[in-house]
Amino acid sequence: MITPNFPSDEQKRLETLRSLAVLDTPPEERFDRLTRMAKRLFDVPIALVSLIDENRQWFKSCVGIDASETPRDISFCGHAILSDEILVVPNALLDTRFADNPLVTGDPNIRFYAGRPLKAPNGSRLGTLCIIDRQPRNLSQEDLNVLSDLASIVERELSVIQLATMDDLTCILNRRGFMLLAGHSLNVCIRQNLPASLVFMDLDNFKSVNDTLGHAEGDRALAVFSEHLKRVFRESDVVARLGGDEFAVLLSNSKKIEAEEILKRLYEALDNINREENNGYDILFSHGVVEFDQDRHSAIDILLAECDALMYEVKNSKR
């Protein structure tokens, strides 16, 4: 068996995938309809919409198998995302990449595989629409065209998700995206008994920037602040602009003291940029940090409300 390599744009690819806030979400008819259609059109037992994250392939939609994910290092789709072309494996037993793969030698006993990469608007390959058979077979060019057409529809659905969950100005999650992804991240922390902390931030004196220097300069300040959030916080943290000049970050597997340490680095980075740019104003912010408590915070919105209130106590103390 040959373990799939990582794409050359792996970091950007993972950031794009996370920004969709789609991983570990419930099944959706718009995707299930397409896998059912693929299964029927190609007369195969298995069809999947598979998304590849750091160490697994997770199925947004699947028909024909009960699993919701498999390890990335044994996935066929991990190989498929290395190219823009459809990956076709007519007989896995005759392919050195897959002949001794546990998905071939054991359940679901893959023999035939065809996976068309799913590309985000920025070009990153996020996963595949794939069809699988337990018997060797081939596809005609017409078959390949049909599979590509179905995959294009999946791509459009993923693009709709991205438009609905991303903030256009800052290119980080918006409130809807944050509530979705943060909620799922908290559920993972609960299942694995991991700590989590929420940071709520509000820019100081932001209205005066808009009033005196114009909204274009205000937009620039928001973009600069967002860029520093992405640099300072970890890749696994859920970073979002909730609206206006309000921002939030959920840190999984982190206690409050760890979140405060990262915030110190953010303050230092903004101090440096304020000195260097000398724009006639400083990008400043107030924050609140709350460590997740399963007994008090039954949902992400309750945790967010408590953190919001704590932040405003800090902001009011500055006035």
mmCIF file with all atom_site columns, all heavy atoms in Angstrom, residues 28-46:
data_model
loop_
_atom_site.group_PDB
_atom_site.id
_atom_site.type_symbol
_atom_site.label_atom_id
_atom_site.label_alt_id
_atom_site.label_comp_id
_atom_site.label_asym_id
_atom_site.label_entity_id
_atom_site.label_seq_id
_atom_site.pdbx_PDB_ins_code
_atom_site.Cartn_x
_atom_site.Cartn_y
_atom_site.Cartn_z
_atom_site.occupancy
_atom_site.B_iso_or_equiv
_atom_site.pdbx_formal_charge
_atom_site.auth_seq_id
_atom_site.auth_comp_id
_atom_site.auth_asym_id
_atom_site.auth_atom_id
_atom_site.pdbx_PDB_model_num
ATOM 1   N N   . GLU A 1 28 ? -27.381 16.110 4.657   1.00 0.00 ? 28 GLU A N   1
ATOM 2   C CA  . GLU A 1 28 ? -28.250 17.090 4.005   1.00 0.00 ? 28 GLU A CA  1
ATOM 3   C C   . GLU A 1 28 ? -28.779 16.487 2.715   1.00 0.00 ? 28 GLU A C   1
ATOM 4   O O   . GLU A 1 28 ? -28.025 15.891 1.937   1.00 0.00 ? 28 GLU A O   1
ATOM 5   C CB  . GLU A 1 28 ? -27.493 18.388 3.706   1.00 0.00 ? 28 GLU A CB  1
ATOM 6   C CG  . GLU A 1 28 ? -27.033 19.131 4.943   1.00 0.00 ? 28 GLU A CG  1
ATOM 7   C CD  . GLU A 1 28 ? -26.322 20.427 4.594   1.00 0.00 ? 28 GLU A CD  1
ATOM 8   O OE1 . GLU A 1 28 ? -26.950 21.297 3.974   1.00 0.00 ? 28 GLU A OE1 1
ATOM 9   O OE2 . GLU A 1 28 ? -25.133 20.561 4.929   1.00 0.00 ? 28 GLU A OE2 1
ATOM 10  N N   . GLU A 1 29 ? -30.047 16.700 2.451   1.00 0.00 ? 29 GLU A N   1
ATOM 11  C CA  . GLU A 1 29 ? -30.685 16.111 1.297   1.00 0.00 ? 29 GLU A CA  1
ATOM 12  C C   . GLU A 1 29 ? -30.023 16.547 -0.007  1.00 0.00 ? 29 GLU A C   1
ATOM 13  O O   . GLU A 1 29 ? -29.928 15.758 -0.956  1.00 0.00 ? 29 GLU A O   1
ATOM 14  C CB  . GLU A 1 29 ? -32.175 16.477 1.291   1.00 0.00 ? 29 GLU A CB  1
ATOM 15  C CG  . GLU A 1 29 ? -32.930 16.037 0.046   1.00 0.00 ? 29 GLU A CG  1
ATOM 16  C CD  . GLU A 1 29 ? -32.933 14.535 -0.160  1.00 0.00 ? 29 GLU A CD  1
ATOM 17  O OE1 . GLU A 1 29 ? -32.717 13.793 0.823   1.00 0.00 ? 29 GLU A OE1 1
ATOM 18  O OE2 . GLU A 1 29 ? -33.131 14.104 -1.318  1.00 0.00 ? 29 GLU A OE2 1
ATOM 19  N N   . ARG A 1 30 ? -29.548 17.800 -0.066  1.00 0.00 ? 30 ARG A N   1
ATOM 20  C CA  . ARG A 1 30 ? -28.962 18.297 -1.330  1.00 0.00 ? 30 ARG A CA  1
ATOM 21  C C   . ARG A 1 30 ? -27.721 17.509 -1.721  1.00 0.00 ? 30 ARG A C   1
ATOM 22  O O   . ARG A 1 30 ? -27.418 17.376 -2.912  1.00 0.00 ? 30 ARG A O   1
ATOM 23  C CB  . ARG A 1 30 ? -28.640 19.784 -1.217  1.00 0.00 ? 30 ARG A CB  1
ATOM 24  C CG  . ARG A 1 30 ? -27.768 20.162 -0.033  1.00 0.00 ? 30 ARG A CG  1
ATOM 25  C CD  . ARG A 1 30 ? -27.531 21.634 -0.013  1.00 0.00 ? 30 ARG A CD  1
ATOM 26  N NE  . ARG A 1 30 ? -26.961 22.095 1.243   1.00 0.00 ? 30 ARG A NE  1
ATOM 27  C CZ  . ARG A 1 30 ? -26.386 23.281 1.398   1.00 0.00 ? 30 ARG A CZ  1
ATOM 28  N NH1 . ARG A 1 30 ? -26.295 24.104 0.380   1.00 0.00 ? 30 ARG A NH1 1
ATOM 29  N NH2 . ARG A 1 30 ? -25.908 23.647 2.566   1.00 0.00 ? 30 ARG A NH2 1
ATOM 30  N N   . PHE A 1 31 ? -26.971 16.972 -0.758  1.00 0.00 ? 31 PHE A N   1
ATOM 31  C CA  . PHE A 1 31 ? -25.820 16.127 -1.057  1.00 0.00 ? 31 PHE A CA  1
ATOM 32  C C   . PHE A 1 31 ? -26.242 14.665 -1.187  1.00 0.00 ? 31 PHE A C   1
ATOM 33  O O   . PHE A 1 31 ? -25.740 13.952 -2.069  1.00 0.00 ? 31 PHE A O   1
ATOM 34  C CB  . PHE A 1 31 ? -24.753 16.283 0.026   1.00 0.00 ? 31 PHE A CB  1
ATOM 35  C CG  . PHE A 1 31 ? -24.133 17.649 0.074   1.00 0.00 ? 31 PHE A CG  1
ATOM 36  C CD1 . PHE A 1 31 ? -24.462 18.539 1.085   1.00 0.00 ? 31 PHE A CD1 1
ATOM 37  C CD2 . PHE A 1 31 ? -23.220 18.056 -0.891  1.00 0.00 ? 31 PHE A CD2 1
ATOM 38  C CE1 . PHE A 1 31 ? -23.901 19.807 1.129   1.00 0.00 ? 31 PHE A CE1 1
ATOM 39  C CE2 . PHE A 1 31 ? -22.654 19.324 -0.854  1.00 0.00 ? 31 PHE A CE2 1
ATOM 40  C CZ  . PHE A 1 31 ? -22.998 20.206 0.156   1.00 0.00 ? 31 PHE A CZ  1
ATOM 41  N N   . ASP A 1 32 ? -27.143 14.214 -0.328  1.00 0.00 ? 32 ASP A N   1
ATOM 42  C CA  . ASP A 1 32 ? -27.599 12.827 -0.398  1.00 0.00 ? 32 ASP A CA  1
ATOM 43  C C   . ASP A 1 32 ? -28.272 12.530 -1.732  1.00 0.00 ? 32 ASP A C   1
ATOM 44  O O   . ASP A 1 32 ? -28.160 11.425 -2.267  1.00 0.00 ? 32 ASP A O   1
ATOM 45  C CB  . ASP A 1 32 ? -28.567 12.533 0.749   1.00 0.00 ? 32 ASP A CB  1
ATOM 46  C CG  . ASP A 1 32 ? -27.882 12.531 2.111   1.00 0.00 ? 32 ASP A CG  1
ATOM 47  O OD1 . ASP A 1 32 ? -26.636 12.464 2.151   1.00 0.00 ? 32 ASP A OD1 1
ATOM 48  O OD2 . ASP A 1 32 ? -28.601 12.605 3.130   1.00 0.00 ? 32 ASP A OD2 1
ATOM 49  N N   . ARG A 1 33 ? -28.977 13.515 -2.257  1.00 0.00 ? 33 ARG A N   1
ATOM 50  C CA  . ARG A 1 33 ? -29.642 13.330 -3.548  1.00 0.00 ? 33 ARG A CA  1
ATOM 51  C C   . ARG A 1 33 ? -28.617 13.009 -4.643  1.00 0.00 ? 33 ARG A C   1
ATOM 52  O O   . ARG A 1 33 ? -28.861 12.173 -5.516  1.00 0.00 ? 33 ARG A O   1
ATOM 53  C CB  . ARG A 1 33 ? -30.431 14.584 -3.910  1.00 0.00 ? 33 ARG A CB  1
ATOM 54  C CG  . ARG A 1 33 ? -31.245 14.458 -5.184  1.00 0.00 ? 33 ARG A CG  1
ATOM 55  C CD  . ARG A 1 33 ? -31.921 15.766 -5.544  1.00 0.00 ? 33 ARG A CD  1
ATOM 56  N NE  . ARG A 1 33 ? -32.721 16.276 -4.441  1.00 0.00 ? 33 ARG A NE  1
ATOM 57  C CZ  . ARG A 1 33 ? -32.466 17.419 -3.787  1.00 0.00 ? 33 ARG A CZ  1
ATOM 58  N NH1 . ARG A 1 33 ? -31.405 18.135 -4.123  1.00 0.00 ? 33 ARG A NH1 1
ATOM 59  N NH2 . ARG A 1 33 ? -33.236 17.819 -2.808  1.00 0.00 ? 33 ARG A NH2 1
ATOM 60  N N   . LEU A 1 34 ? -27.465 13.665 -4.576  1.00 0.00 ? 34 LEU A N   1
ATOM 61  C CA  . LEU A 1 34 ? -26.444 13.490 -5.608  1.00 0.00 ? 34 LEU A CA  1
ATOM 62  C C   . LEU A 1 34 ? -25.741 12.142 -5.483  1.00 0.00 ? 34 LEU A C   1
ATOM 63  O O   . LEU A 1 34 ? -25.405 11.513 -6.490  1.00 0.00 ? 34 LEU A O   1
ATOM 64  C CB  . LEU A 1 34 ? -25.429 14.633 -5.534  1.00 0.00 ? 34 LEU A CB  1
ATOM 65  C CG  . LEU A 1 34 ? -26.007 16.008 -5.890  1.00 0.00 ? 34 LEU A CG  1
ATOM 66  C CD1 . LEU A 1 34 ? -25.027 17.122 -5.527  1.00 0.00 ? 34 LEU A CD1 1
ATOM 67  C CD2 . LEU A 1 34 ? -26.354 16.080 -7.378  1.00 0.00 ? 34 LEU A CD2 1
ATOM 68  N N   . THR A 1 35 ? -25.489 11.678 -4.250  1.00 0.00 ? 35 THR A N   1
ATOM 69  C CA  . THR A 1 35 ? -24.868 10.354 -4.116  1.00 0.00 ? 35 THR A CA  1
ATOM 70  C C   . THR A 1 35 ? -25.856 9.254  -4.519  1.00 0.00 ? 35 THR A C   1
ATOM 71  O O   . THR A 1 35 ? -25.453 8.249  -5.117  1.00 0.00 ? 35 THR A O   1
ATOM 72  C CB  . THR A 1 35 ? -24.355 10.132 -2.680  1.00 0.00 ? 35 THR A CB  1
ATOM 73  O OG1 . THR A 1 35 ? -25.384 10.446 -1.737  1.00 0.00 ? 35 THR A OG1 1
ATOM 74  C CG2 . THR A 1 35 ? -23.133 10.985 -2.399  1.00 0.00 ? 35 THR A CG2 1
ATOM 75  N N   . ARG A 1 36 ? -27.125 9.448  -4.214  1.00 0.00 ? 36 ARG A N   1
ATOM 76  C CA  . ARG A 1 36 ? -28.126 8.461  -4.668  1.00 0.00 ? 36 ARG A CA  1
ATOM 77  C C   . ARG A 1 36 ? -28.174 8.416  -6.193  1.00 0.00 ? 36 ARG A C   1
ATOM 78  O O   . ARG A 1 36 ? -28.290 7.348  -6.797  1.00 0.00 ? 36 ARG A O   1
ATOM 79  C CB  . ARG A 1 36 ? -29.515 8.803  -4.103  1.00 0.00 ? 36 ARG A CB  1
ATOM 80  C CG  . ARG A 1 36 ? -29.662 8.593  -2.607  1.00 0.00 ? 36 ARG A CG  1
ATOM 81  C CD  . ARG A 1 36 ? -31.136 8.567  -2.200  1.00 0.00 ? 36 ARG A CD  1
ATOM 82  N NE  . ARG A 1 36 ? -31.854 9.762  -2.603  1.00 0.00 ? 36 ARG A NE  1
ATOM 83  C CZ  . ARG A 1 36 ? -32.034 10.832 -1.830  1.00 0.00 ? 36 ARG A CZ  1
ATOM 84  N NH1 . ARG A 1 36 ? -31.518 10.859 -0.607  1.00 0.00 ? 36 ARG A NH1 1
ATOM 85  N NH2 . ARG A 1 36 ? -32.719 11.880 -2.266  1.00 0.00 ? 36 ARG A NH2 1
ATOM 86  N N   . MET A 1 37 ? -28.091 9.594  -6.783  1.00 0.00 ? 37 MET A N   1
ATOM 87  C CA  . MET A 1 37 ? -28.126 9.667  -8.237  1.00 0.00 ? 37 MET A CA  1
ATOM 88  C C   . MET A 1 37 ? -26.902 8.977  -8.840  1.00 0.00 ? 37 MET A C   1
ATOM 89  O O   . MET A 1 37 ? -27.005 8.222  -9.819  1.00 0.00 ? 37 MET A O   1
ATOM 90  C CB  . MET A 1 37 ? -28.186 11.133 -8.679  1.00 0.00 ? 37 MET A CB  1
ATOM 91  C CG  . MET A 1 37 ? -28.391 11.324 -10.167 1.00 0.00 ? 37 MET A CG  1
ATOM 92  S SD  . MET A 1 37 ? -28.445 13.083 -10.605 1.00 0.00 ? 37 MET A SD  1
ATOM 93  C CE  . MET A 1 37 ? -29.853 13.612 -9.623  1.00 0.00 ? 37 MET A CE  1
ATOM 94  N N   . ALA A 1 38 ? -25.725 9.218  -8.245  1.00 0.00 ? 38 ALA A N   1
ATOM 95  C CA  . ALA A 1 38 ? -24.503 8.582  -8.749  1.00 0.00 ? 38 ALA A CA  1
ATOM 96  C C   . ALA A 1 38 ? -24.584 7.061  -8.616  1.00 0.00 ? 38 ALA A C   1
ATOM 97  O O   . ALA A 1 38 ? -24.201 6.318  -9.532  1.00 0.00 ? 38 ALA A O   1
ATOM 98  C CB  . ALA A 1 38 ? -23.291 9.119  -7.992  1.00 0.00 ? 38 ALA A CB  1
ATOM 99  N N   . LYS A 1 39 ? -25.089 6.591  -7.497  1.00 0.00 ? 39 LYS A N   1
ATOM 100 C CA  . LYS A 1 39 ? -25.223 5.144  -7.280  1.00 0.00 ? 39 LYS A CA  1
ATOM 101 C C   . LYS A 1 39 ? -26.127 4.529  -8.342  1.00 0.00 ? 39 LYS A C   1
ATOM 102 O O   . LYS A 1 39 ? -25.815 3.468  -8.912  1.00 0.00 ? 39 LYS A O   1
ATOM 103 C CB  . LYS A 1 39 ? -25.792 4.889  -5.886  1.00 0.00 ? 39 LYS A CB  1
ATOM 104 C CG  . LYS A 1 39 ? -26.019 3.421  -5.539  1.00 0.00 ? 39 LYS A CG  1
ATOM 105 C CD  . LYS A 1 39 ? -26.573 3.314  -4.118  1.00 0.00 ? 39 LYS A CD  1
ATOM 106 C CE  . LYS A 1 39 ? -26.727 1.857  -3.681  1.00 0.00 ? 39 LYS A CE  1
ATOM 107 N NZ  . LYS A 1 39 ? -27.728 1.152  -4.475  1.00 0.00 ? 39 LYS A NZ  1
ATOM 108 N N   . ARG A 1 40 ? -27.227 5.212  -8.624  1.00 0.00 ? 40 ARG A N   1
ATOM 109 C CA  . ARG A 1 40 ? -28.188 4.685  -9.584  1.00 0.00 ? 40 ARG A CA  1
ATOM 110 C C   . ARG A 1 40 ? -27.658 4.765  -11.018 1.00 0.00 ? 40 ARG A C   1
ATOM 111 O O   . ARG A 1 40 ? -27.769 3.804  -11.790 1.00 0.00 ? 40 ARG A O   1
ATOM 112 C CB  . ARG A 1 40 ? -29.508 5.448  -9.465  1.00 0.00 ? 40 ARG A CB  1
ATOM 113 C CG  . ARG A 1 40 ? -30.613 4.902  -10.370 1.00 0.00 ? 40 ARG A CG  1
ATOM 114 C CD  . ARG A 1 40 ? -31.945 5.566  -10.075 1.00 0.00 ? 40 ARG A CD  1
ATOM 115 N NE  . ARG A 1 40 ? -31.945 6.994  -10.386 1.00 0.00 ? 40 ARG A NE  1
ATOM 116 C CZ  . ARG A 1 40 ? -31.921 7.968  -9.465  1.00 0.00 ? 40 ARG A CZ  1
ATOM 117 N NH1 . ARG A 1 40 ? -31.911 7.670  -8.189  1.00 0.00 ? 40 ARG A NH1 1
ATOM 118 N NH2 . ARG A 1 40 ? -31.924 9.244  -9.826  1.00 0.00 ? 40 ARG A NH2 1
ATOM 119 N N   . LEU A 1 41 ? -27.064 5.891  -11.377 1.00 0.00 ? 41 LEU A N   1
ATOM 120 C CA  . LEU A 1 41 ? -26.588 6.080  -12.746 1.00 0.00 ? 41 LEU A CA  1
ATOM 121 C C   . LEU A 1 41 ? -25.472 5.117  -13.117 1.00 0.00 ? 41 LEU A C   1
ATOM 122 O O   . LEU A 1 41 ? -25.404 4.624  -14.244 1.00 0.00 ? 41 LEU A O   1
ATOM 123 C CB  . LEU A 1 41 ? -26.113 7.524  -12.939 1.00 0.00 ? 41 LEU A CB  1
ATOM 124 C CG  . LEU A 1 41 ? -27.190 8.606  -13.011 1.00 0.00 ? 41 LEU A CG  1
ATOM 125 C CD1 . LEU A 1 41 ? -26.544 9.982  -13.013 1.00 0.00 ? 41 LEU A CD1 1
ATOM 126 C CD2 . LEU A 1 41 ? -28.044 8.419  -14.258 1.00 0.00 ? 41 LEU A CD2 1
ATOM 127 N N   . PHE A 1 42 ? -24.588 4.843  -12.164 1.00 0.00 ? 42 PHE A N   1
ATOM 128 C CA  . PHE A 1 42 ? -23.432 3.992  -12.459 1.00 0.00 ? 42 PHE A CA  1
ATOM 129 C C   . PHE A 1 42 ? -23.622 2.553  -11.982 1.00 0.00 ? 42 PHE A C   1
ATOM 130 O O   . PHE A 1 42 ? -22.720 1.729  -12.158 1.00 0.00 ? 42 PHE A O   1
ATOM 131 C CB  . PHE A 1 42 ? -22.177 4.599  -11.833 1.00 0.00 ? 42 PHE A CB  1
ATOM 132 C CG  . PHE A 1 42 ? -21.785 5.913  -12.436 1.00 0.00 ? 42 PHE A CG  1
ATOM 133 C CD1 . PHE A 1 42 ? -22.098 7.105  -11.800 1.00 0.00 ? 42 PHE A CD1 1
ATOM 134 C CD2 . PHE A 1 42 ? -21.124 5.965  -13.647 1.00 0.00 ? 42 PHE A CD2 1
ATOM 135 C CE1 . PHE A 1 42 ? -21.743 8.323  -12.351 1.00 0.00 ? 42 PHE A CE1 1
ATOM 136 C CE2 . PHE A 1 42 ? -20.766 7.186  -14.218 1.00 0.00 ? 42 PHE A CE2 1
ATOM 137 C CZ  . PHE A 1 42 ? -21.081 8.373  -13.568 1.00 0.00 ? 42 PHE A CZ  1
ATOM 138 N N   . ASP A 1 43 ? -24.773 2.281  -11.362 1.00 0.00 ? 43 ASP A N   1
ATOM 139 C CA  . ASP A 1 43 ? -25.081 0.928  -10.905 1.00 0.00 ? 43 ASP A CA  1
ATOM 140 C C   . ASP A 1 43 ? -23.957 0.378  -10.024 1.00 0.00 ? 43 ASP A C   1
ATOM 141 O O   . ASP A 1 43 ? -23.420 -0.713 -10.256 1.00 0.00 ? 43 ASP A O   1
ATOM 142 C CB  . ASP A 1 43 ? -25.325 0.002  -12.091 1.00 0.00 ? 43 ASP A CB  1
ATOM 143 C CG  . ASP A 1 43 ? -25.916 -1.350 -11.658 1.00 0.00 ? 43 ASP A CG  1
ATOM 144 O OD1 . ASP A 1 43 ? -26.542 -1.400 -10.573 1.00 0.00 ? 43 ASP A OD1 1
ATOM 145 O OD2 . ASP A 1 43 ? -25.713 -2.326 -12.387 1.00 0.00 ? 43 ASP A OD2 1
ATOM 146 N N   . VAL A 1 44 ? -23.593 1.168  -9.016  1.00 0.00 ? 44 VAL A N   1
ATOM 147 C CA  . VAL A 1 44 ? -22.545 0.780  -8.067  1.00 0.00 ? 44 VAL A CA  1
ATOM 148 C C   . VAL A 1 44 ? -23.177 0.651  -6.681  1.00 0.00 ? 44 VAL A C   1
ATOM 149 O O   . VAL A 1 44 ? -24.206 1.260  -6.400  1.00 0.00 ? 44 VAL A O   1
ATOM 150 C CB  . VAL A 1 44 ? -21.399 1.815  -8.034  1.00 0.00 ? 44 VAL A CB  1
ATOM 151 C CG1 . VAL A 1 44 ? -20.634 1.801  -9.342  1.00 0.00 ? 44 VAL A CG1 1
ATOM 152 C CG2 . VAL A 1 44 ? -21.915 3.212  -7.706  1.00 0.00 ? 44 VAL A CG2 1
ATOM 153 N N   . PRO A 1 45 ? -22.561 -0.132 -5.797  1.00 0.00 ? 45 PRO A N   1
ATOM 154 C CA  . PRO A 1 45 ? -23.117 -0.269 -4.451  1.00 0.00 ? 45 PRO A CA  1
ATOM 155 C C   . PRO A 1 45 ? -22.820 0.901  -3.526  1.00 0.00 ? 45 PRO A C   1
ATOM 156 O O   . PRO A 1 45 ? -23.521 1.094  -2.532  1.00 0.00 ? 45 PRO A O   1
ATOM 157 C CB  . PRO A 1 45 ? -22.464 -1.552 -3.926  1.00 0.00 ? 45 PRO A CB  1
ATOM 158 C CG  . PRO A 1 45 ? -21.185 -1.661 -4.683  1.00 0.00 ? 45 PRO A CG  1
ATOM 159 C CD  . PRO A 1 45 ? -21.464 -1.087 -6.045  1.00 0.00 ? 45 PRO A CD  1
ATOM 160 N N   . ILE A 1 46 ? -21.779 1.695  -3.845  1.00 0.00 ? 46 ILE A N   1
ATOM 161 C CA  . ILE A 1 46 ? -21.332 2.740  -2.926  1.00 0.00 ? 46 ILE A CA  1
ATOM 162 C C   . ILE A 1 46 ? -21.068 4.034  -3.692  1.00 0.00 ? 46 ILE A C   1
ATOM 163 O O   . ILE A 1 46 ? -20.429 4.024  -4.757  1.00 0.00 ? 46 ILE A O   1
ATOM 164 C CB  . ILE A 1 46 ? -20.039 2.325  -2.188  1.00 0.00 ? 46 ILE A CB  1
ATOM 165 C CG1 . ILE A 1 46 ? -20.272 1.052  -1.365  1.00 0.00 ? 46 ILE A CG1 1
ATOM 166 C CG2 . ILE A 1 46 ? -19.534 3.448  -1.283  1.00 0.00 ? 46 ILE A CG2 1
ATOM 167 C CD1 . ILE A 1 46 ? -19.002 0.433  -0.820  1.00 0.00 ? 46 ILE A CD1 1
#
